[in-house]
Amino acid sequence: MNTRDKLQSIAINLWWSWSPEARSLFRRLNPEVYRTSGNNPQAALALAKDEVLDDPDFQSEVDAVYDNYMSYMDREPELEEAPNTAYFCMEYGLHESLSLYSGGLGVLAGDHAKAASDLGLPFTAIGLFLREGYFEQSFNANGWQQSTYPVLDPAKHPLSLVTEREGSDPLTATVHIGAQPVHVRAWKLDLGHTDLYLLDTDFDGNPEQYRSLTRRLYQGGDQERIQQEIILGIGGLRLLRKLGVTPDVYHANEGHCAFLMLELLRERLDEGDDLTTAEDWVRDKSVFTTHTPVMAGHDHFDPDLFTEALSGFQDQIELTNDDLLSYGRVDPDDEDEKFTMTVLGLKLSRAANGVSKLNGHVARQQWEDLYPDCELGEIPIDSITNGVHLPTWTAGPARDFLDKHLDGDFTERQDPDVWDGLANVSDETLWNYRSSLRQRLIDFVHAHVQGQSLPMQPDLDPEALTIGFARRFATYKRAPLIFRDRERARALFTDPDRPIQLLYAGKAHPQDDAGKQFIQRIYEISQMRGFAGKVIFLEGYDMEIGRMLVSGCDVWLNNPRRPLEASGTSGQKVAAHGGLNLSVLDGWWPEGYNGHNGWAIGPEPTGNYGEANPEVQDEQDAESLYTQLEEEVIPTFYDRNDDGLPTEWISKMRDAMTGLTAPFSAKRMVIDYVEEMYRHDE
């Protein structure tokens, strides 16, 4: 194979998305095209510069990366006899060039699928082909978020239309939305060893009103949502059957995809099982993950809407409307109770979990009425704490540093003992590592803001304490909390001897005006005396911005209202880079925090989450945040020894890197899913 052919072979498998060396090759082919295409390898390869392709040194690098890719694809599975798993999720965060995600749920699903590939699991993922994605962010002159929807062209991405085994006709499955048959096709994306199928209704043969169902993520009202979920759950399973995929276990990641369990039930009834036997079979094959810590966040559908949308399916399954509705009701006899997708997932699965220990506890509290014969601690909702795909989220320079000091490719050996090698790394070496990543981030920020519609004039100090906050701008995450006492905050940003700087990124849902107001408020503050140049909002939050921020920031700020953060994984990504968390004890942080590897905001979790007064909690947490910054975080960063090193800060870095990276990796997470959820003793 010549150089171009090898690059093409790499470009059509998203393995490159977690290989910094591969991404570097594609960037060098045509840096401008690569950047403007959202770092799309196929775009850069299509317009590759001949002088780059003909360079012998470049060709040698291509040979090495290609050999690494082939070695990865040819290696033996790490886990023996793992169950064949089908994984359903509404969104997938894979890479910034593919806008198939809105936030943490999608990024988690992408990391889960990538880690499954690394482990060599027999694993098939199902999602939606979101041709218009979530949205592209820009701003008007007043700092008010604007939304546009660029259309993803599959011909310019590593997507292939799934066709019949013989011929070129698309493979399709059919579902009914009400009485209307809707045809579903799929685009296949290779994710290392994992096959990801993205369902699509946007083609000739479907009525226009149903063609749009798979175009955008989390848009429209309940009617569009339930229709999307029929496509995902029922259509996804029917497409798997057309492909000949016969999983041992079906994993529904969140309630959006729980209709797959009703379709499994229909299949068993068609095979002649009685209802009890069919239900037992479905439970035996199904596992369910719930993330949502507030009741209002679960998908609830009015009985009439459910009955209308599922009428065609009801004819096929030959159960009464009341029978179908009962699967989504806590009280099957309550005719006014809405149909809840999470209840469906819990009722028809053999195992269910939250995504952190605290989230599992909250879920058991939420659904206590569903298990009236169980004590709270006996409710069958366990927990598997989320983790992050280290090869995706660890910056290239960080991987080089860690491979050198941990004696080999640390991403391949993610057991905790590997990290003990940091004990032999000097304080000076670790601090230089941290400082170089901070400088790299600041360089990125200066370049990025040049193309923003939201004007920013960074005045960033590469030696100053750099704090990051990047996530969805849902109001419960309280992005502006640090500015609750404006003058107290201003004093922190204007201290000439101990300066701090704060970098923001994030999107508010297009229909969430309160979230948009938070962004606008931060923009207005960023223009004020004392904050200008030191508070920066990075427009167009995507996975590239996320990678840069988690790798470069000294402190990762996380201050949601407890207990609304199901897990939160962004803070897990900073540890490998020597970053430290300053976080409310919510989600994963109560499991990670040991008193020396970061800082806690607010009180310890109590386990009792009634209706807390938000105003009181905001005031208490803001006071705690200021106290931690003033008395702990800032002094520790700037307290230097005779060699100019912050020895106590470096000690905390070493503790965080050693104790948090491997335990909160996606590899550990997926092994837990295999051992605790997917494997099932008959």
Side-chain angles (χ1 to χ4, degrees), residues 46 79 99 102 111 194 198 201 255 260 286-287 318 336 342 367-368 377 389 457 460-461 490 566 578 581 587 618 622:
L79 298 181
S99 181
S102 71
D111 282 8
T194 295
L198 301 172
T201 62
L260 79 92
S286 303
V287 298
E318 297 182 346
D336 296 324
T342 300
W367 301 111
E368 193 171 6
H389 188 243
Q457 290 81 39
L460 301 174
D461 181 350
R490 197 190 312 272
N581 281 274
D618 290 357

Side-chain angles (χ1 to χ4, degrees), residues 319-339:
L319 295 177
T320 68
N321 288 331
D322 287 342
D323 287 339
L324 283 179
L325 283 164
S326 71
Y327 290 112
R329 285 173 166 166
V330 174
D331 180 359
D333 297 324
D334 182 355
E335 295 183 357
D336 296 324
E337 183 180 341
K338 292 185 176 183
F339 185 96

Side-chain angles (χ1 to χ4, degrees), residues 557-559 562 582-585 599-603 621 624-625 628:
L557 179 60
N558 182 44
N559 43 234
R562 291 173 302 280
L582 171 59
S583 175
V584 165
L585 286 165
W599 297 272
I601 300 169
D621 288 347
S624 176
L625 172 57
Q628 289 285 36

Side-chain angles (χ1 to χ4, degrees), residues 130-178:
L130 301 160
R131 196 180 296 265
E132 297 180 5
Y134 188 43
F135 68 93
E136 189 170 282
Q137 182 186 56
S138 60
F139 293 88
N140 67 16
N142 297 320
W144 190 255
Q145 178 183 282
Q146 309 291 298
S147 304
T148 54
Y149 296 87
V151 177
L152 188 153
D153 181 354
K156 297 178 180 179
H157 294 270
L159 292 156
S160 57
L161 185 63
V162 179
T163 58
E164 300 280 359
R165 284 188 173 85
E166 297 179 3
S168 58
D169 291 336
L171 182 72
T172 62
T174 301
V175 300
H176 280 76
I177 295 175

Side-chain angles (χ1 to χ4, degrees), residues 32-84:
E32 181 62 17
V33 168
Y34 186 78
R35 182 187 64 81
T36 58
S37 66
N39 302 335
N40 182 350
Q42 289 198 320
L45 183 58
L47 295 172
K49 297 180 179 180
D50 290 339
E51 60 268 26
V52 178
L53 285 171
D54 295 339
D55 180 8
D57 291 338
F58 181 82
Q59 293 173 350
S60 295
E61 291 182 56
V62 171
D63 292 342
V65 171
Y66 179 78
D67 289 345
N68 288 340
Y69 167 58
M70 295 306 297
S71 176
Y72 177 91
M73 296 301 294
D74 292 341
R75 69 188 185 184
E76 293 295 317
E78 289 191 36
L79 298 181
E80 295 183 1
E81 299 181 356
N84 189 326

Side-chain angles (χ1 to χ4, degrees), residues 102 154 252 348 444 485 507 524 678:
S102 71
L348 287 180
F444 172 83
D485 183 334
K507 293 178 176 179
E524 291 168 349
Y678 298 166

Side-chain angles (χ1 to χ4, degrees), residues 127 225 289 302 378 393 593:
R225 177 67 68 90
T289 298
D302 285 329
E378 297 173 350
W393 293 103
Y593 178 57

